[in-house]
């Protein structure tokens, strides 16, 4: 098992619901990431945090709201999602935010929006 | 044009075969090249990491980078059924932070 955990592993929600995804890393890393993985598409970077500061918001709709209370925890708050938001949401961490740092991934949360 | 192109497969081979997986890219600024393996219902795990051009070998796996052709490869020797997974290439280069650009992934099935 990797040092990055995600909960829940599966989530079904209606378009009017509000839910949150949680990620925790036990590696002592300073940078954390949210990715979206849709079928037959490359992983899409959504957000990057370094030392709890957001350094990238990759043109993500406002219905996705990230939160990084400390360097070990990362949340993704979801509200009024659309069916096309159904995907695997992956969290990753790296030692630092520098180019070339290895990213370690969690197992993902499989999200279905009805 | 996508920054990274990867044939999605699926690729089906018999056990013991040599497997060749490839990606092409367009951004000459890429310097760091990775291969991740993703089993069904799991997150990607780093398999190989290469900086700049050249070859790197780790057991049955060999990664090659040809920056002049903007082409990277992963070779798997003596493939095993446990190698059945989706293989993702990823790369990064410039910018103020660690932005990985991924290929779409190639699904590999190794049958006994």
């Amino acid at each position: 098992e990797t040092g990055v955990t995600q909960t829940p592993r599966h989530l079904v929600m209606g378009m009017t619901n509000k839910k949150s995804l949680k990620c925790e890393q036990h590696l002592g890393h300073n940078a954390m990431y949210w990715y979206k993985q849709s079928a037959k598409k490359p992983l899409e970077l959504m957000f990057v945090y370094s030392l709890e500061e957001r350094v990238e918001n990759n043109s993500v709709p406002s219905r996705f709201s990230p939160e990084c209370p400390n360097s070990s925890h990362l949340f993704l708050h979801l509200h009024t999602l659309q069916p096309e938001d159904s995907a695997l949401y992956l969290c990753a961490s790296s030692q630092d935010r520098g180019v070339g740092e290895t990213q370690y991934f969690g197992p993902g949360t499989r999200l279905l929006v009805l | 044009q996508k920054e990274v192109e990867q044939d999605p497969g699926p690729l089906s081979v018999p056990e013991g075969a040599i497997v060749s997986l490839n990606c092409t890219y367009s951004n000459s600024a890429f310097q760091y090249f990775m291969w991740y393996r993703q089993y069904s219902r799991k997150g990607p795990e780093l398999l190989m990491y290469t900086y700049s051009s050249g070859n790197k070998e780790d057991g049955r796996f060999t990664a090659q980078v040809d920056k002049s052709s903007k082409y990277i490869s992963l070779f798997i020797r003596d493939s095993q059924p446990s190698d059945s997974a989706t293989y993702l290439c990823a790369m990064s280069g410039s910018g103020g932070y660690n932005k990985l650009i991924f290929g779409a992934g190639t699904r590999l099935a190794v049958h006994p």
Side-chain angles (χ1 to χ4, degrees):
Chain A
E1 286 295 319
T2 69
V4 181
T5 58
Q6 290 187 243
T7 55
R9 294 294 308 275
H10 302 273
L11 179 61
V12 180
M13 59 187 290
M15 291 192 288
T16 58
N17 292 157
K18 290 184 180 181
K19 296 286 184 183
S20 294
L21 310 184
K22 179 183 176 182
C23 174
E24 183 174 1
Q25 59 94 0
H26 312 272
L27 301 170
H29 289 169
N30 295 316
M32 298 186 77
Y33 311 78
W34 278 118
Y35 286 88
K36 176 183 179 182
Q37 186 176 33
S38 303
K40 301 190 188 308
K41 288 186 177 180
L43 270 73
E44 301 173 51
L45 179 65
M46 301 175 72
F47 300 104
V48 180
Y49 276 84
S50 176
L51 295 171
E52 301 112 64
E53 178 185 351
R54 190 190 308 178
V55 297
E56 174 69 9
N57 174 356
N58 207 25
S59 303
V60 179
S62 60
R63 57 186 184 269
F64 295 91
S65 175
E67 179 189 0
C68 187
N70 55 62
S71 59
S72 298
H73 294 87
L74 186 64
F75 295 89
L76 188 63
H77 304 299
L78 316 172
H79 63 98
T80 60
L81 293 192
Q82 305 298 310
E84 60 264 29
D85 297 321
S86 299
L88 181 68
Y89 288 85
L90 291 160
C91 174
S93 71
S94 63
Q95 183 62 57
D96 290 297
R97 58 178 272 186
V99 176
E101 290 279 350
T102 298
Q103 293 186 23
Y104 297 86
F105 285 83
T109 294
R110 177 76 58 186
L111 174 66
L112 178 61
V113 181
L114 301 175
Chain B
Q1 183 188 7
K2 295 178 185 175
E3 277 195 283
V4 179
E5 298 275 1
Q6 183 176 10
D7 186 336
L11 184 61
S12 182
V13 301
E15 184 175 355
I18 296 174
V19 176
S20 173
L21 304 169
N22 312 292
C23 288
T24 58
Y25 62 94
S26 56
N27 189 343
S28 57
F30 288 147
Q31 296 279 354
Y32 303 90
F33 303 91
M34 287 137 269
W35 287 94
Y36 282 85
R37 178 175 62 194
Q38 186 174 22
Y39 290 114
S40 181
R41 294 180 170 79
K42 301 275 189 178
E45 59 175 327
L46 182 68
L47 195 59
M48 299 290 283
Y49 180 107
T50 309
Y51 170 69
S52 194
S53 283
N55 294 358
K56 184 172 183 179
E57 187 173 323
D58 184 1
R60 296 184 295 111
F61 299 90
T62 300
Q64 289 186 351
V65 175
D66 182 349
K67 291 188 67 181
S68 61
S69 302
K70 297 190 179 69
Y71 188 88
I72 70 170
S73 301
L74 177 70
F75 296 95
I76 307 174
R77 291 183 298 279
D78 188 25
S79 56
Q80 303 295 310
S82 58
D83 295 327
S84 299
T86 297
Y87 290 80
L88 310 171
C89 63
M91 44 201 83
S92 65
S94 59
Y97 67 96
N98 191 17
K99 184 173 183 177
L100 286 182
I101 307 299
F102 282 85
T106 299
R107 183 179 295 180
L108 171 68
V110 181
H111 51 86

